[in-house]
Amino acid sequence: MYTLYSMQNSGNSYKARLLLARLGISYRLVEVDILKGETRTPEFLARNPEGRVPVLELAGGRHLAESNAILAYLAEGTRFMPEDRLERAEVLRWMFFEQHSHEPSIAAARFWLHLVKGGRELKTHDIDHWMEQGYLALSLMERHLASHAYFVGPRTTVADLALYAHTHVAPEGDFDLAGYPAVMDWLARVAAEPGHVAMSERPAGASAGWDRLARA
Ligand SMILES: N[C@@H](CCC(=O)N[C@@H](CS)C(=O)NCC(=O)O)C(=O)O
């Protein structure tokens, strides 16, 4: 059985929980509080030397970090990863876009403006940059989604799940999605699909393994 080291409020952790739910895979969940430094302990750093969640522990005790690498691993051979070579590369293209041009501003704004007490005052000088870069990413998504139901091909792939995770909570980072109707329709489409779970949801199948890191 997989073990997922995750923080409930982390968009990157949510990506893995969302795909595991969509695939109906049960797993053990270990909650890690990054705000309490739980990703910086020797035990956690042995699992991911970068000291970040999510981390997926595989059978045999091997570990995989990086949310989009976890998505790619779990999606292999499923409907969430196309078989066609070019479509697979397009999925990766959007996942790289998410990490390079979307997450660094949209997730950072939500983290500092919504999750960290006093973060707005601490990060005053970064907010304009996050807004500029975040709206650029949203505009690019809007243009694509104006003529495509999903990012790649005719159905949800891990490219959609990777982008859904931080986009649906972008308003918590002060982004107004009202001017992005195609993005809002796509968010609703993804959320309406069978097996979808909210970011706040604790997985039923994993509740027995729901644990604090200290007891992991
Ligand atoms: N590129 C990584 C980013 C992971 C990341 O930034 N995780 C945050 C939570 S969303 C974290 O663990 N931060 C703890 C820290 O940096 O100390 C991924 O996509 O998994």
Side-chain angles (χ1 to χ4, degrees), residues 10 12 15 34 39-40 51-54 66-68 99 103:
S10 139
N12 289 315
K15 292 176 196 172
I34 66 171
T39 48
R40 302 300 155 136
R52 295 177 197 272
V53 284
E66 286 294 333
S67 57
N68 289 351
Q99 285 286 289
E103 195 254 21

Side-chain angles (χ1 to χ4, degrees), residues 175-203:
F175 290 98
D176 182 1
L177 296 183
Y180 300 85
V183 170
M184 294 214 299
D185 287 352
W186 162 79
L187 288 174
R189 210 156 37 242
V190 172
E193 290 173 355
H196 181 81
V197 289
M199 189 189 268
S200 57
E201 236 168 283
R202 293 184 183 195

Side-chain angles (χ1 to χ4, degrees), residues 134-146 167 170-171 174-187:
Y135 279 122
L136 265 180
L138 289 169
S139 302
L140 196 139
M141 291 167 67
E142 178 70 17
R143 282 200 298 280
H144 183 81
L145 292 169
T167 307
D174 283 3
F175 290 98
D176 182 1
L177 296 183
Y180 300 85
V183 170
M184 294 214 299
D185 287 352
W186 162 79
L187 288 174

Side-chain angles (χ1 to χ4, degrees), residues 52-208:
R52 295 177 197 272
V53 284
V55 178
L56 186 70
E57 188 172 299
L58 315 175
R62 292 170 71 187
H63 292 91
L64 182 62
E66 286 294 333
S67 57
N68 289 351
I70 294 171
L71 290 186
Y73 175 80
L74 292 171
E76 192 64 39
T78 77
R79 64 191 185 281
F80 292 97
M81 183 63 89
E83 281 179 20
D84 177 79
R85 182 178 176 184
L86 182 56
E87 284 192 353
R88 290 167 73 85
E90 288 283 359
V91 166
L92 293 177
R93 168 216 166 179
W94 284 109
M95 288 163 83
F96 293 141
F97 161 80
E98 190 268 343
Q99 285 286 289
H100 185 76
S101 306
H102 179 280
E103 195 254 21
S105 48
I106 295 185
R110 172 175 175 264
F111 181 74
W112 290 102
L113 306 182
H114 179 71
L115 297 178
V116 176
K117 250 194 189 142
R120 188 177 295 276
E121 291 68 40
L122 279 173
K123 292 289 176 181
T124 324
H125 299 299
D126 293 306
I127 297 175
D128 283 353
H129 177 70
W130 291 334
M131 291 299 126
E132 187 190 323
Q133 294 302 308
Y135 279 122
L136 265 180
L138 289 169
S139 302
L140 196 139
M141 291 167 67
E142 178 70 17
R143 282 200 298 280
H144 183 81
L145 292 169
S147 54
H148 301 83
Y150 298 98
F151 279 94
V152 183
R155 67 181 66 82
T156 296
T157 66
V158 278
D160 297 278
L161 301 187
L163 281 161
Y164 178 88
H166 290 113
T167 307
H168 86 293
V169 286
E172 294 178 0
D174 283 3
F175 290 98
D176 182 1
L177 296 183
Y180 300 85
V183 170
M184 294 214 299
D185 287 352
W186 162 79
L187 288 174
R189 210 156 37 242
V190 172
E193 290 173 355
H196 181 81
V197 289
M199 189 189 268
S200 57
E201 236 168 283
R202 293 184 183 195
S207 56

